[in-house]
């Protein structure tokens, strides 16, 4: 019964939080689709060139930059100090997205490494504890559930801090890049940056909710395992 209460409470919390934050994925996608702005940013160099220019602006040119046209996700990997750019050439959001990954590359390496190592330990803990519970090796799941919750909250605060910082700074870096290149008029730059602001206003909330929700899903899954196998 206790596990059912935790499951219901978790679902209710996420539903209320989504309602209060007024999250709307369709609206966010709609903001990111603007053919007129797409055409304006298509005048700018290729993604890799933009990335290298921004890295130079940030004084961090040692990062390896590649483009993966079959991928939908751009990311910075601290393990090999590299940025992979997804297939975003046709979107006006690409400059801010690239700037976002560039910001990750200059964040404190200790924090990035801690996030990488801790997240993997957290995931491993979840799978091992769930497996041990299934095979009835664990007889006191409440203790392990409590640890899972605490680890999840720590992971959320670390990842949330890194992502929020990158999203906020990326807007200003993208603006600086647009202004330093004599390609768009100042009026068009204002239009592009205005849309970046709209994206961030909703995107920051959505990203933070997504990170938190993923941790709650693990809690819910483990509670289901406990109900079925304990």
């Amino acid at each position: 019964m206790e596990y059912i209460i935790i499951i219901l409470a978790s679902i209710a919390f996420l539903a209320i939080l989504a309602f209060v934050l007024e999250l709307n994925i369709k609206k966010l996608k709609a903001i990111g689709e603007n053919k007129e702005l797409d055409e304006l940013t298509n005048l700018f160099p290729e993604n890799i060139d933009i990335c290298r220019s921004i890295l130079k602006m940030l004084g961090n040119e040692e990062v390896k930059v590649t483009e993966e046209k079959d991928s939908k996700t751009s990311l910075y990997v601290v393990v090999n100090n590299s940025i992979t750019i997804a297939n975003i050439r046709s979107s006006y959001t690409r400059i801010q997205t690239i700037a976002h990954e560039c910001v990750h590359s200059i964040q404190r390496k200790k924090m990035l490494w801690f996030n990488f190592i801790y997240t993997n330990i957290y995931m491993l803990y979840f799978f091992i504890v769930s497996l041990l519970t299934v095979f009835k090796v664990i007889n006191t799941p409440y203790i392990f559930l409590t640890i899972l919750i605490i680890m999840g909250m720590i992971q959320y605060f670390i990842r949330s801090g890194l992502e929020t910082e990158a999203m906020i700074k990326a807007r200003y870096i993208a603006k600086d890049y647009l202004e330093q290149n004599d390609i768009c008029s100042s009026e068009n730059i204002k239009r592009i940056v205005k849309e970046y602001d709209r994206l961030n206003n909703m995107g920051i909330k959505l990203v933070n909710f997504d990170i938190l929700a993923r941790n709650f899903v693990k809690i819910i899954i483990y509670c289901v395992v406990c109900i079925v196998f304990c």
Side-chain angles (χ1 to χ4, degrees):
M1 184 63 183
E2 293 86 352
Y3 296 115
I4 294 176
I5 293 174
I6 293 173
I7 292 172
L8 294 176
S10 298
I11 295 173
F13 172 76
L14 291 175
I16 293 171
L17 187 60
F19 175 77
V20 171
L21 294 177
E22 297 181 338
L23 301 179
N24 190 323
I25 297 177
K26 288 184 178 180
K27 184 177 180 180
L28 184 64
K29 288 183 177 180
I31 295 173
E33 296 175 356
N34 189 315
K35 292 183 178 180
E36 188 176 353
L37 296 185
D38 290 345
E39 291 178 1
L40 289 174
T41 54
N42 275 338
L43 299 174
F44 284 84
E46 296 297 321
N47 292 332
I48 290 180
D49 295 326
I50 292 175
C51 188
R52 287 172 178 161
S53 295
I54 293 176
L55 288 171
K56 186 175 182 179
M57 288 168 53
L58 299 175
N60 187 29
E61 299 181 67
E62 298 178 356
V63 182
K64 179 182 178 183
V65 182
T66 59
E67 187 170 13
E68 184 57 62
K69 295 185 178 181
D70 294 329
S71 175
K72 295 182 179 180
T73 305
S74 299
L75 72 160
Y76 169 75
V77 180
V78 67
V79 176
N80 56 4
N81 192 32
S82 67
I83 292 175
T84 300
I85 305 170
N87 185 14
I88 53 175
R89 181 65 177 85
S90 60
S91 175
Y92 79 92
T93 63
R94 69 188 179 110
I95 297 175
Q96 180 170 246
T97 299
I98 293 170
H100 177 103
E101 301 308 327
C102 290
V103 172
H104 277 315
S105 75
I106 63 169
Q107 288 176 319
R108 289 175 294 173
K109 288 296 185 286
K110 287 183 179 180
M111 183 64 74
L112 291 170
W113 272 105
F114 182 79
N115 174 65
F116 175 78
I117 295 171
Y118 183 85
T119 297
N120 281 281
I121 292 174
Y122 171 51
M123 292 293 296
L124 187 62
Y125 173 84
F126 167 70
F127 285 117
I128 291 176
V129 167
S130 298
L131 192 62
L132 292 177
T133 303
V134 168
F135 288 102
K136 302 184 185 300
V137 177
I138 291 177
N139 298 316
T140 54
Y142 282 117
I143 296 175
F144 295 92
L145 175 60
T146 301
I147 294 173
L148 181 67
I149 294 172
I150 294 173
M151 289 184 71
M153 293 303 100
I154 294 173
Q155 193 271 344
Y156 166 75
F157 285 115
I158 295 169
R159 180 71 185 279
S160 172
L162 291 171
E163 292 299 330
T164 301
E165 178 187 25
M167 293 182 77
I168 292 173
K169 288 184 177 181
R171 180 266 190 201
Y172 295 97
I173 293 171
K175 181 175 182 290
D176 288 342
Y177 174 82
L178 290 167
E179 291 175 341
Q180 288 180 19
N181 290 268
D182 190 21
I183 297 176
C184 279
S185 66
S186 58
E187 186 63 33
N188 283 331
I189 290 175
K190 288 180 181 179
R191 291 173 58 200
I192 294 170
V193 173
K194 182 179 179 181
E195 293 305 296
Y196 286 167
D197 286 334
R198 292 181 65 200
L199 283 169
N200 276 0
N201 287 338
M202 186 176 296
I204 290 174
K205 293 186 293 185
L206 186 61
V207 166
N208 278 274
F209 177 83
D210 179 67
I211 297 170
L212 187 64
R214 289 174 186 270
N215 292 337
F216 269 93
V217 167
K218 291 181 180 62
I219 294 170
I220 293 171
I221 291 173
Y222 186 64
C223 284
V224 171
V225 169
C226 291
I227 292 172
V228 175
F229 295 98
C230 292

